[in-house]
Amino acid sequence: MERIPDHHIFLVRHCSDEEVNRVVTLHYRTLSPKYKAAEKVAQTILDEFTLDRPLEVRYTEIMQRIRAMKIPYSGPDVADLAAQYLHEKGIKVWR
């Protein structure tokens, strides 16, 4: 990586714009306490999947899990982040 003088922008060689955007997005997500909570909720759901169960979950199930885990953030905010995380892992989320 080369630092461009007087800016907080870095040049990354041999990476597409899409790859850089994905990494920057992931970096900002991991800094968010809500995202960390959503990741924890999503992982508990993922841990329960078995080969005989379809890879899908209802949004209401995510909300129930958030309430059961007593997540201290806005339920819909965390549920949206958890749904996005699950979708990225190949899980169909029904709204």
Side-chain angles (χ1 to χ4, degrees), residues 54-73:
L55 297 178
E56 55 188 36
V57 65
R58 291 189 331 261
Y59 188 82
T60 55
E61 292 176 66
I62 297 171
M63 286 298 293
Q64 289 169 352
R65 184 67 53 104
I66 290 167
R67 285 190 286 278
M69 293 176 69
K70 297 182 181 182
I71 301 295
Y73 304 107

Side-chain angles (χ1 to χ4, degrees), residues 13-89:
R13 295 182 192 267
H14 310 294
C15 291
S16 70
D17 290 346
E18 183 180 309
E19 290 170 316
V20 172
N21 286 335
R22 188 174 53 230
V23 170
V24 169
T25 299
L26 180 61
H27 172 70
Y28 283 116
R29 281 181 181 175
T30 58
L31 295 176
S32 165
K34 279 186 189 180
Y35 184 78
K36 288 178 185 178
E39 201 173 33
K40 194 179 291 187
V41 169
Q43 192 57 53
T44 64
I45 292 169
L46 286 172
D47 289 345
E48 292 178 1
F49 277 106
T50 60
L51 294 177
D52 61 338
R53 181 178 172 192
L55 297 178
E56 55 188 36
V57 65
R58 291 189 331 261
Y59 188 82
T60 55
E61 292 176 66
I62 297 171
M63 286 298 293
Q64 289 169 352
R65 184 67 53 104
I66 290 167
R67 285 190 286 278
M69 293 176 69
K70 297 182 181 182
I71 301 295
Y73 304 107
S74 167
D77 289 351
V78 175
D80 287 341
L81 291 170
Q84 184 178 18
Y85 181 89
L86 290 166
H87 176 75
E88 290 169 0
K89 297 293 182 186

